[in-house]
Amino acid sequence: MNAGHADFRADGSTANAGAKRGAQVNRLSGGLVNSAKVMNFTFDGKAFQGYEGDTLASALLANGVRLMGRSFKYHRPRGPLTAGSEEPNALVELRSGGRQEPNTRATVAELYEGMEANSQNRWPSLERDFMSINDRFSNFLTAGFYYKTFMWPAAFWEKVYEPIIRKAAGLGRLSMEDDPDAYDKGFLHCDLLIIGAGPAGLAAALTAGRVGAQVILAEEDFLLGGRLNAESFGLGDISGAAWIAQVCDELAALPNVRVMPRTTVVGAYDHGVYSAVERVADHVLAPEVGKPRQILWRIYSKRALLSAGATERPIAFENNDRPGIMLAGAMRAYVNRWAVTPAQTVAVFTNNDDGHRTAADLIAKGVKVTAVVDTRADAPKVEGVELFAGAQVIDTKGRLGLTSVRLRLASGITRDIPCGALAVSGGWNPNVHLTCHQRGRPAWREDIAAFVPAGELPPGMSVIGAANGDFSTAAALRTGAKGAVAALSDLGIAATVAELPQAEDAPVNLQAFWYVKEGKGRAWLDLQNDVTVKDVKLAHQENFRSVEHLKRYTTLGMATDQGKTSNMGGLAVMAELVGKQIPEVGTTMFRPPYTPVAMGTLAGRSVGEEFRPTRKTPSHKWAEEQGATFVEVGMWLRTQWFPRKGETHWRQSVDREVLQIRKSVGICDVTTLGKIDVQGPDAAEFLNHIYANAFGKLAVGKVRYGLMLREDGIAYDDGTAARLAEDHFVVTTTTANAVLVYRNMEFARQCLWPDLDVQVISTTEAWAQFAVAGPNARKLLQKIVDPEFDLSNEAFPFMGCGEVTVCGGLRARLFRISFSGELAFEIAVPTRYGDGLIRALMQAGEEFDVVPYGTEALGVMRIEKGHAAGNELNGTTSALNLGMARMVSKKKDCIGNTSSARAGMNQDDALMLVGLKPVNSTDPVAAGSHLMNAIGVVSAEADQGYITSAAYSPVLGCSIGLGLLKNGGNRKGEILRAVNPLEGREVEVEVVSAHFVDPEGERLRA
Amino acid sequence: MIINHPILGPRDAQEFTYLGDAALIDRPDWQADNAAEAFHDYLYLRDNPAGEHRELWFHEQGDRSWLVVTRNTVTHDILNVELARDVARARGRRK
Amino acid sequence: MRYSGLKVIKEALTGHNGWRPSWRNPEPKPQYDVVIIGGGGHGLATAYYLAKNHGITNIAVVEKGWIGGGNVGRNTTIVRSNYLLDGNGPFYEFSLKLWEGLEQDFNYNAMVSQRGILNLVHSDAQRDGARRRGNAMILNGSDAELLDAKGVRAMYPFLNFDSARFPIKGGLLHRRGGTVRHDAVAWGYARGADMRGVDIIQNCEVTGFRIENGKCLGVETSKGFIGASKVASCVAGSSSRVMGLAGMRLPIESHVLQAFVTEGLKPVLDGVITFGAGHFYCSQSDKGGLVFGGDIDGYNSYAQRGNLPVVEDVVEGGMALIPALGRVRVLRSWGGIMDMSMDGSPFIDKTHIDGLYFNGGWCYGGFKATPASGWCYAHLLATGQPHDVATAFRLDRFRHGRMIDEKGQGAQPNLH
């Protein structure tokens, strides 16, 4: 038998109820649950039954279980305070394994067959929690105590104090298994987004829906109707539920209205964009195959109506946190909607008329109400229950659940009242949260003693119903319908207020009352974080008086409920202490999300290998067939090397590829390099602006290497520009900068030189391009290129280019350019022929023992040739640093030339690109090593530069590197130390020319 | 955010790439006597207003127009959107 | 009043009546030796070190709102000394060393917790970069270890090693990096400064400078004119606005950076992890929430809030790195205004106006710099000379082409 049952018996209830409806001892008759459909679930391993339509909290209460959780700091026993998403207490771990969800609010967890829930933040059990020892020491654990201690000895913080604190802190547990469920994202557009489907939202939806406006009605709950489901009064001459059913039927028939239950609008972003979370499968054991668990909707709305209702607030008094003490409106919801009473005898504590409704509804359902305690001396009578007007609850009893409350009567005497539950009402706070997500700052309304939306609301948003402080049902219906008419009228859609049923229109009768001053014990404000009135007083005493200091010092409002039920109380206590009005003290910021959102939902499908798109080259399929090893290069997958049978280490493959290219011929897919078509009469002039070096005089049929600078004079990309015609260039960029270079070209074209007659377009994806490199490159290509094109050195010299046809008439572009330093060409064909071309090239190359090669061999060869690449073009190097100062033309206006002349970029000891060779040829050279003089200290001050790139050169038979060295141009032959303290290595290197192989360039001109 | 493209109508700002202050259109004359100083100010100094800000956005996943968007940096309200090329020409930029 | 465990026990047994205000609420005096504009971490630290190191106590810190309400009150709490470039490395190492003794120094537990920072690498080029950085760190007196994929797995087995779009190839581990309870830093400095006589004046907005003949004589404020021999601006995201009142244009843009915290969880993540193939970094607070962030939104903003695409982008990075986070719920997101500089590095400098000083341009990295920034700014204010570790943080460095560009992105603040 669980503690809930034990406590329940202490409450003095009869066994009759249990006998009547199974073990659901506190189940009443009626309600909106389907008692024909029984659902089995477990809590802390014990089996229970509830009904379809229950939440975990209502089902547990029905079974006589009030104890559902433990608080954060003192580990106090707790039961549900609310019946909604503002719940601070009843947090559980739902499900298990990869689906385990910590901190799930039992009050909104829709019951399903087979639900598995466990209490959290307790050990060894919920009833007997070892850490509840903290409660005994609460006097030592006051607000901010940790800022004043745990400082000595210094080393103890990480080693002793913090690990203990970390272990004790936290709430639920995460399994750390991968979440098996899928999440989706979607986009919706509408004229009118209605947030909340209570009476205000429903009236608005009917009004807007009937005139054909595109409407989205989003409701957090799985039932539409809002408070109507929780109250006993009807609309017109029918029940609330019947009216809701009518409205739902009508809305369902309107194709222009999208009704979204189980959907919480969580954030209000710029320009009418809202984020919403739809819980597609949280009310079932597991999502259907292929279906997501939740969907993140991005809703683009022209207008929005906030009809998010209001949240009741508690009153603080000593020991006001025991299981069984809950908000009065929540208790009505349990009684009316879920046909559950938290106990068989109940008392009510209120400062307003609304609390009296709870007593009336309980009595109507046959629950014994032992007292209505009203702080107002002139409180109205309630039929059938003893009223204590002008009285207060000053203390409570019951270790694991409430057994009695102690009253201080108006006469001054105390009285103990037995009860298993206490309904508390301190008034209602409009749910203004979404109005604050941009610049809105709520304003105080004295008549309801609450903040209402004010200031600059998110553009396009207006607020209706209780969210705006209009608490009666009639007002909700009226403001809802009128709000819709006004919003639509902004959009030029004429609508008239729908005919609305008669509804209760009770005024708010309330006398602000925040906390009971009597008593030396603790009176809780923030139940989850265990922030009490005493803590606020201490914060005040220590001058943490601004509302933000109060929050941060005491942690008030920082729990998973974000202060929905606690901020106001804390604010009120502080206001009293500083002698100001509540609005003068201020209110804390409400930030998105309105309720917490699973990270899986925000990520959607962008997880695992689908985190980002994968771009494959035209030869990918062929390369896969060859067993290629691939590597991520930005979004692209490129072949890294092509292992062959018997090769056990990547170096074997790469060395073989390099040697075979330098000996005969190799082929590499270079499609990923950016390609930009530049056309127009002013194309050459345009490129003169874009590149640091001159392009005006480049002959048709020729290619030139070009260096691009940023406007600050730093080199950022290099590549080639081939002039195919007087007014037509093809520019190549590095793979990494393809998008950036294109963007910058468009900027130059549209913003800097808008009258240049030039067009640019990215053709990276349009052409498949292959490098064919090695002494036999020409021979191989001649077999592919149609015979009418002469590829001889005379007819097609180094840096030549032209349009050709291959394989019998397929158009192609041929460039005689070389990254490898060998006789080399790059040939491009329309992308759809890329796969065919690689196969044709490989077949044609068989007689030369052609090798396909990947990015590693490419990298080795470019280091052997001293070509700068990404590691050298690292965003901090100028043309001067790269040894290309002379390329920066001073005779024309190119981007970056003016700024590159600044003194700091032209110092005598500027870094210069050099080659580095180990003195001992077996020593490895590691990129990222720092260069130090051969003798002297090794220190940051003595730093001479660093190694940018390194590779093993199979041609030279040793490791080689490129580096940026201070005054590097004048230090050839010098011996330096390449230090790598990170890996405990130091290697002597010699400064050499960066052109390790064929420095005269004879091979590439062959 | 939503940017009301002068040609394409309202588009999600996610389709665009942001550059910065529209003053980047006013690239100085490289041959002026004070070119070094002018380029320094052009490249590095910003008004950075809290309020209306004219700024450059590139419709990268769209029609590749550069736009000058007038946006309030406090409220994020967008007050005007122009084609940057029109702005550049109006500010006297030619070839 | 000295804080200690014994004091906490004594107060607990005697009704907590002995706790005094952490700082006073003084009215401004007409004239100070130094007026510091901005009661954030840097401003309060500057006041503290001016008083403690230089004996200058006739100081006012004027704050528009409540102290510690700027970026020190809304950051992701990380401290580290893992910088690459000469201009930065010694400064941040100095800062980390100050963090290491801070709590004992100012008698306030700011929970400086060196649980380590791991920067993941996903490509050979990133590994080369990590090696260069790690070596620079060690040469500057910091600590670094290069891990391979196996080493990373041993530390954090729950990262996505098996089905990642960008597989983890290793990481650079900085064991002395960690987190600090951010609000406590502001409060600790405020309390320490107040104890030494500094006036902390909240709800006091600077509306102008009084500048005569090229000399700054003080500030106009919502509480009237306050005279000062030296005026020191230290207002981060509001730098352009405040210095604009003195007619200055700065190499700074204000951008919004969003940050996030999840519901509290029992411990799952000990140190700080930075994803190298997306915009995501994460740690777990002592209270149990995962604190994470990513990239700035990317457009100029003073709004202290961001937009949804960046939220999604950051969380996508988180899920790509740690697939087990799917059911962890994001509790709160917020935005701060970052004073993004043109090279991603800060300024601690005099201005061309005599008596007016400037500290700013910290981008999203100002929190970790708080102690050294305060120390070096105090040094500059007191001696007229830049501190040895902050000589590069000059306002005129762009004029001379001496950028300190860790990311290599050039004069585009939103890319730093």
Side-chain angles (χ1 to χ4, degrees):
Chain A
M1 177 140 305
N2 66 58
H5 276 90
D7 271 12
F8 166 67
R9 279 209 309 266
D11 172 32
S13 65
T14 66
N16 278 351
K20 206 161 54 198
R21 298 183 77 165
Q24 299 185 42
V25 291
N26 281 339
R27 185 72 74 177
L28 309 169
S29 59
L32 301 176
V33 289
N34 179 9
S35 58
K37 193 149 180 197
V38 171
M39 287 181 163
N40 296 285
F41 70 101
T42 64
F43 180 60
D44 279 344
K46 291 174 210 108
F48 294 96
Q49 287 186 337
Y51 297 138
E52 186 181 55
D54 262 328
T55 63
L56 175 60
S58 70
L60 284 171
L61 288 173
N63 284 277
V65 179
R66 289 173 298 172
L67 177 66
M68 298 186 198
R70 289 273 174 173
S71 67
F72 175 75
K73 187 156 82 170
Y74 301 137
H75 288 248
R76 299 266 296 186
R78 294 290 168 78
L81 176 74
T82 76
S85 60
E86 68 273 30
E87 175 60 30
N89 283 339
L91 307 186
V92 301
E93 289 166 1
L94 202 63
R95 300 184 162 90
S96 58
R99 290 198 168 97
Q100 184 166 313
E101 282 166 52
N103 311 325
T104 301
R105 295 151 180 74
T107 49
V108 290
E110 206 175 329
L111 197 67
Y112 54 83
E113 173 64 30
M115 179 185 269
E116 176 189 0
N118 289 288
S119 60
Q120 58 181 36
N121 197 30
R122 83 291 184 274
W123 183 84
S125 73
L126 186 57
E127 289 76 25
R128 287 174 195 80
D129 177 10
F130 175 75
M131 288 299 286
S132 62
I133 191 164
N134 283 0
D135 199 34
R136 303 249 184 104
F137 292 102
S138 65
N139 213 19
F140 299 86
L141 310 181
T142 49
F145 78 97
Y146 30 75
Y147 298 126
K148 299 166 180 165
T149 181
F150 303 133
M151 284 178 274
W152 297 270
F156 268 40
W157 176 252
E158 281 96 340
K159 293 200 178 80
V160 180
Y161 303 132
E162 191 183 41
I164 295 171
I165 291 171
R166 284 176 80 84
K167 209 176 159 207
L171 292 165
R173 291 167 308 160
L174 196 62
S175 70
M176 288 317 271
E177 293 173 36
D178 294 3
D179 185 350
D181 289 342
Y183 299 83
D184 266 341
K185 288 184 187 176
F187 299 81
L188 294 171
H189 296 77
C190 63
D191 295 321
L192 187 62
L193 169 65
I194 302 169
I195 304 163
L202 289 173
L206 273 184
T207 303
R210 283 175 185 167
V211 294
Q214 295 295 322
V215 175
I216 292 173
L217 175 62
E219 169 54 52
E220 177 180 42
D221 203 336
F222 55 94
L223 290 185
L224 304 193
R227 279 303 299 177
L228 290 177
N229 292 319
E231 303 291 357
S232 53
F233 44 74
L235 286 150
D237 48 12
I238 57 176
S239 72
W243 184 76
I244 294 164
Q246 274 179 16
V247 175
C248 288
D249 286 347
E250 182 174 347
L251 293 177
L254 293 170
N256 52 312
V257 177
R258 184 181 180 119
V259 178
M260 303 178 73
R262 299 190 178 96
T263 302
T264 311
V265 176
V266 289
Y269 295 95
D270 281 317
H271 306 162
V273 178
Y274 291 81
S275 60
V277 176
E278 181 177 358
R279 289 170 295 280
V280 179
D282 279 354
H283 60 295
V284 291
L285 193 59
E288 284 175 53
V289 176
K291 291 270 177 68
R293 175 187 167 219
Q294 297 184 348
I295 300 172
L296 178 73
W297 293 104
R298 197 188 292 183
I299 302 175
Y300 297 75
S301 69
K302 291 180 186 160
R303 289 290 181 275
L305 288 174
L306 181 69
S307 42
T311 301
E312 201 169 15
R313 59 203 186 202
I315 296 170
F317 49 89
E318 203 168 311
N319 291 313
N320 61 333
D321 65 328
R322 299 193 192 281
I325 300 178
M326 63 171 63
L327 291 166
M331 200 182 290
R332 285 208 296 287
Y334 286 118
V335 167
N336 292 323
R337 172 172 173 179
W338 285 290
V340 167
T341 180
Q344 293 296 320
T345 54
V346 179
V348 175
F349 182 31
T350 183
N351 67 345
N352 67 84
D353 286 0
D354 199 57
H356 293 239
R357 283 182 174 155
T358 304
D361 287 358
L362 285 162
I363 292 165
K365 288 273 190 172
V367 180
K368 185 178 173 196
V369 180
T370 49
V372 171
V373 186
D374 197 315
T375 57
R376 301 170 297 175
D378 58 346
K381 284 289 299 171
V382 191
E383 199 79 6
V385 56
E386 189 172 5
L387 172 75
F388 298 95
Q392 298 172 10
V393 176
I394 58 168
D395 200 0
T396 70
K397 281 212 171 82
R399 197 174 70 83
L400 296 176
L402 187 69
T403 53
S404 71
V405 298
R406 172 163 294 180
L407 311 185
R408 173 78 61 196
L409 303 186
S411 61
I413 61 163
T414 61
R415 181 179 298 184
D416 290 342
I417 301 280
C419 55
L422 178 70
V424 181
S425 178
W428 294 75
N429 291 326
N431 288 331
V432 301
H433 306 73
L434 286 169
T435 70
C436 305
H437 282 186
Q438 293 179 23
R439 294 168 55 72
R441 294 293 174 272
W444 185 253
R445 234 177 81 184
E446 194 61 41
D447 62 324
I448 56 171
F451 283 103
V452 292
E456 288 178 55
L457 267 48
M461 178 194 278
S462 38
V463 190
I464 53 178
N468 207 31
D470 295 320
F471 288 144
S472 78
T473 311
L477 294 170
R478 194 168 60 237
T479 59
K482 283 187 175 166
V485 170
L488 294 181
S489 138
D490 280 359
L491 303 176
I493 302 171
T496 47
V497 173
E499 197 177 313
L500 298 167
Q502 283 285 321
E504 64 83 24
D505 203 6
V508 174
N509 286 322
L510 166 146
Q511 192 178 69
F513 188 91
W514 305 102
Y515 73 105
V516 173
K517 296 188 179 59
E518 186 173 348
K520 290 193 168 168
R522 285 164 296 167
W524 270 260
L525 295 163
D526 185 320
L527 287 153
Q528 189 181 129
N529 274 356
D530 282 323
V531 181
T532 65
V533 172
K534 277 185 179 182
D535 293 313
V536 177
K537 288 180 173 167
L538 182 62
H540 174 260
Q541 187 180 330
E542 298 191 87
N543 202 13
F544 290 91
R545 295 177 189 177
S546 122
V547 65
E548 287 284 348
H549 285 153
L550 168 66
K551 167 187 144 187
R552 288 149 191 265
Y553 194 60
T554 64
T555 75
L556 174 82
M558 294 174 82
T560 60
D561 56 308
Q562 290 283 284
K564 288 191 179 79
T565 58
S566 61
N567 279 348
M568 268 308 306
L571 209 56
V573 175
M574 182 57 83
E576 188 182 294
L577 292 168
V578 297
K580 288 183 177 175
Q581 298 299 305
I582 287 170
E584 294 176 272
V585 177
T587 173
T588 53
M589 277 291 296
F590 289 109
R591 299 276 194 176
Y594 174 64
T595 51
V597 178
M599 289 182 71
T601 312
L602 290 166
R605 300 274 173 178
S606 298
V607 294
E609 284 167 5
E610 267 68 55
F611 167 53
R612 291 293 177 254
T614 301
R615 303 177 73 182
K616 292 176 179 170
T617 65
S619 67
H620 188 90
K621 185 165 178 289
W622 174 84
E624 263 181 339
E625 290 165 16
Q626 312 309 308
T629 300
F630 295 100
V631 64
E632 301 75 23
V633 182
M635 299 284 184
W636 291 98
L637 275 188
R638 296 187 70 179
T639 299
Q640 201 167 13
W641 58 80
F642 291 88
R644 280 195 182 160
K645 256 191 201 142
E647 290 174 348
T648 54
H649 190 277
W650 64 271
R651 265 278 308 284
Q652 293 173 307
S653 311
V654 174
D655 289 357
R656 170 182 51 74
E657 287 171 17
V658 171
L659 289 171
Q660 184 63 9
I661 296 156
R662 298 228 184 270
K663 183 175 145 211
S664 177
V665 65
I667 298 174
C668 182
D669 190 330
V670 293
T671 302
T672 62
L673 295 175
K675 307 177 204 73
I676 300 169
D677 232 53
V678 181
Q679 297 195 38
D682 293 329
E685 191 184 341
F686 177 72
L687 290 184
N688 258 345
H689 290 311
I690 296 294
Y691 282 114
N693 49 323
F695 274 80
K697 291 182 183 143
L698 181 66
V700 173
K702 284 289 188 182
V703 186
R704 183 171 288 167
Y705 172 81
L707 182 69
M708 290 185 200
L709 306 182
R710 299 190 310 228
E711 193 67 271
D712 66 356
I714 297 294
Y716 86 96
D717 202 67
D718 68 344
T720 59
R723 194 164 198 172
L724 294 179
E726 202 53 43
D727 59 356
H728 185 190
F729 291 80
V730 172
V731 166
T732 64
T733 74
T734 61
T735 300
N737 285 328
V739 172
L740 178 62
V741 169
Y742 179 74
R743 183 190 306 156
N744 290 347
M745 282 189 175
E746 285 288 6
F747 179 72
R749 194 178 74 87
Q750 296 178 40
C751 299
L752 300 182
W753 295 283
D755 284 353
L756 282 180
D757 190 354
V758 62
Q759 301 293 327
V760 298
I761 190 160
S762 167
T763 60
T764 304
E765 293 81 5
W767 295 89
Q769 194 152 319
F770 297 93
V772 182
N776 286 320
R778 183 183 290 117
K779 287 184 200 155
L780 190 161
L781 270 175
Q782 266 165 348
K783 295 173 67 182
I784 294 290
V785 175
D786 292 337
E788 60 266 38
F789 299 99
D790 182 0
L791 299 189
S792 70
N793 204 21
E794 295 70 35
F796 212 99
F798 178 58
M799 297 307 253
C801 67
E803 289 178 294
V804 299
T805 59
V806 298
C807 303
L810 172 64
R811 73 188 174 108
R813 288 171 173 174
L814 190 63
F815 312 89
R816 191 168 158 196
I817 51 180
S818 176
F819 201 46
S820 58
E822 296 298 324
L823 165 65
F825 297 81
E826 289 189 15
I827 183 155
V829 293
T831 300
R832 62 188 180 282
Y833 298 105
D835 179 77
L837 186 65
I838 184 67
R839 291 173 199 274
L841 285 167
M842 289 304 295
Q843 197 177 11
E846 264 173 27
E847 61 177 295
F848 312 109
D849 289 329
V850 66
V851 285
Y853 65 100
T855 54
E856 284 297 323
L858 196 74
V860 170
M861 290 190 294
R862 73 98 190 165
I863 294 171
E864 287 178 336
K865 284 299 291 180
H867 291 309
N871 282 13
E872 288 75 34
L873 291 160
N874 60 18
T876 63
T877 48
S878 64
L880 177 88
N881 300 139
L882 297 170
M884 294 191 257
R886 272 176 298 177
M887 281 180 69
V888 182
S889 171
K890 299 292 171 198
K891 293 184 199 146
K892 56 161 188 151
D893 182 14
C894 72
I895 288 170
N897 63 354
T898 303
S899 295
S900 68
R902 287 177 291 173
M905 297 170 69
N906 293 277
Q907 299 181 131
D908 290 342
D909 67 345
L911 295 171
M912 296 279 279
L913 189 68
V914 296
L916 297 159
K917 225 172 129 170
V919 171
N920 177 347
S921 66
T922 58
D923 280 344
V925 177
S929 301
H930 287 236
L931 299 168
M932 301 284 160
N933 288 331
I935 44 174
V937 294
V938 170
S939 72
E941 293 74 33
D943 207 332
Q944 298 297 302
Y946 59 99
I947 298 178
T948 53
S949 302
Y952 177 80
S953 165
V955 174
L956 299 172
C958 68
S959 209
I960 56 170
L962 300 177
L964 287 161
L965 176 65
K966 282 183 178 169
N967 189 24
N970 296 313
R971 296 174 76 170
K972 294 233 166 65
E974 200 176 317
I975 305 296
L976 300 170
R977 286 173 293 171
V979 301
N980 180 10
L982 184 67
E983 294 168 293
R985 293 198 192 120
E986 185 176 309
V987 174
E988 276 192 324
V989 292
E990 183 188 346
V991 182
V992 297
S993 159
H995 308 291
F996 292 93
V997 169
D998 187 30
E1000 303 305 318
E1002 287 165 15
R1003 300 171 73 102
L1004 50 83
R1005 290 190 176 80
Chain B
M1 288 194 285
I2 294 168
I3 293 174
N4 198 6
H5 191 300
I7 298 169
L8 302 173
R11 310 296 312 169
D12 194 298
Q14 213 176 350
E15 294 175 357
F16 294 79
T17 301
Y18 183 80
L19 179 63
D21 196 324
L24 288 167
I25 290 173
D26 302 324
R27 187 171 178 272
D29 176 2
W30 69 294
Q31 289 174 309
D33 290 341
N34 67 344
E37 191 63 19
F39 267 93
H40 167 265
D41 293 357
Y42 165 76
L43 255 178
Y44 293 108
L45 298 186
R46 297 283 188 274
D47 288 337
N48 192 25
E52 274 186 37
H53 186 232
R54 278 161 62 81
E55 57 198 22
L56 286 156
W57 294 75
F58 180 52
H59 199 195
E60 191 142 83
Q61 292 168 67
D63 77 338
R64 299 169 281 123
S65 289
W66 276 93
L67 304 180
V68 173
V69 176
T70 306
R71 189 178 57 93
N72 187 309
T73 57
V74 178
T75 64
H76 295 171
D77 286 347
I78 291 177
L79 309 157
N80 193 24
V81 185
E82 304 155 89
L83 290 175
R85 172 175 259 159
D86 295 345
V87 174
R89 283 181 173 143
R91 297 180 74 81
R93 299 206 71 86
R94 293 291 175 256
K95 280 196 173 185
Chain C
M1 180 196 304
R2 206 167 162 73
Y3 289 158
S4 68
L6 272 176
K7 172 78 178 160
V8 169
I9 292 168
K10 180 175 166 261
E11 286 297 326
L13 298 173
T14 56
H16 293 286
N17 294 317
W19 299 117
R20 300 268 74 89
S22 301
W23 48 83
R24 298 162 294 128
N25 292 331
E27 285 304 309
K29 293 189 277 188
Q31 179 76 26
Y32 288 95
D33 293 341
V34 181
V35 165
I36 296 165
I37 309 172
H42 291 219
L44 294 166
T46 303
Y48 175 79
Y49 290 119
L50 270 172
K52 183 163 184 285
N53 295 356
H54 303 282
I56 299 173
T57 57
N58 185 27
I59 302 171
V61 177
V62 295
E63 165 55 47
K64 187 176 84 169
W66 39 282
I67 58 166
N71 290 342
V72 74
R74 59 184 76 242
N75 62 73
T76 45
T77 79
I78 296 166
V79 298
R80 56 187 165 91
S81 163
N82 61 354
Y83 281 72
L84 174 67
L85 300 178
D86 295 343
N88 283 327
F91 175 85
Y92 287 100
E93 178 55 24
F94 180 60
S95 201
L96 188 54
K97 289 206 166 78
L98 289 176
W99 283 119
E100 286 170 335
L102 183 65
E103 295 151 303
Q104 290 68 32
D105 183 65
F106 69 15
N107 181 230
Y108 206 80
N109 185 0
M111 304 179 200
V112 177
S113 176
Q114 296 177 288
R115 302 191 311 277
I117 292 180
L118 179 63
N119 287 88
L120 297 171
V121 302
H122 307 262
S123 70
D124 291 349
Q126 280 187 338
R127 189 188 292 115
D128 293 349
R131 196 182 286 114
R132 180 186 166 206
R133 178 180 298 273
N135 282 321
M137 290 160 66
I138 291 170
L139 291 171
N140 277 311
S142 186
D143 70 288
E145 290 166 46
L146 193 62
L147 303 184
D148 58 11
K150 222 171 111 184
V152 173
R153 199 167 195 150
M155 273 189 88
Y156 294 116
F158 50 79
L159 302 183
N160 187 354
F161 291 95
D162 302 322
S163 63
R165 174 71 181 80
F166 300 103
I168 295 163
K169 302 218 164 138
L172 188 65
L173 177 63
H174 172 40
R175 288 195 191 270
R176 286 162 63 242
T179 60
V180 178
R181 172 78 186 96
H182 56 107
D183 290 318
V185 176
W187 302 338
Y189 277 124
R191 178 170 163 270
D194 178 89
M195 281 198 299
R196 288 168 174 81
V198 173
D199 284 353
I200 295 168
I201 303 163
Q202 303 186 75
N203 302 307
C204 180
E205 181 175 8
V206 169
T207 55
F209 293 91
R210 189 173 291 177
I211 297 167
E212 286 174 15
N213 302 320
K215 167 137 183 64
C216 183
L217 304 177
V219 290
E220 308 286 352
T221 77
S222 53
K223 297 192 176 194
F225 175 74
I226 305 175
S229 308
K230 290 171 181 171
V231 174
S233 172
C234 201
V235 295
S238 300
S239 289
S240 295
R241 280 198 283 191
V242 169
M243 298 310 280
L245 298 172
M248 287 181 69
R249 294 174 83 218
L250 298 176
I252 285 175
E253 288 180 6
S254 294
H255 284 261
V256 58
L257 176 72
Q258 300 190 67
F260 310 85
V261 65
T262 70
E263 295 179 339
L265 304 167
K266 289 294 172 195
V268 291
L269 179 59
D270 193 44
V272 184
I273 304 183
T274 302
F275 190 26
H279 305 118
F280 178 78
Y281 59 88
C282 187
S283 65
Q284 187 172 17
S285 77
D286 284 350
K287 204 161 167 281
L290 299 177
V291 180
F292 65 94
D295 208 0
I296 56 176
D297 268 37
Y299 43 81
N300 289 46
S301 176
Y302 284 90
Q304 292 199 332
R305 62 185 173 80
N307 272 296
L308 189 56
V310 172
V311 179
E312 295 177 42
D313 181 72
V314 171
V315 179
E316 284 166 9
M319 286 295 294
L321 183 62
I322 312 177
L325 298 184
R327 300 179 105 89
V328 179
R329 285 181 284 251
V330 176
L331 177 60
R332 185 176 174 92
S333 65
W334 63 95
I337 311 173
M338 306 295 121
D339 39 339
M340 301 299 295
S341 72
M342 286 289 162
D343 59 359
S345 294
F347 310 97
I348 301 177
D349 204 357
K350 299 176 185 176
T351 69
H352 68 283
I353 298 165
D354 192 18
L356 179 58
Y357 296 75
F358 178 71
N359 174 321
W362 295 97
C363 303
Y364 44 75
F367 179 66
K368 74 182 82 66
T370 306
S373 170
W375 185 291
C376 294
Y377 203 21
H379 183 94
L380 176 70
L381 286 160
T383 68
Q385 296 300 316
H387 188 278
D388 282 349
V389 298
T391 53
F393 298 154
R394 308 296 295 270
L395 274 165
D396 66 354
R397 63 177 179 261
F398 304 115
R399 187 164 278 115
H400 304 301
R402 298 182 204 282
M403 293 75 78
I404 318 169
D405 190 347
E406 291 269 336
K407 276 194 170 176
Q409 293 291 353
Q412 208 183 324
N414 67 341
L415 300 180
H416 288 294

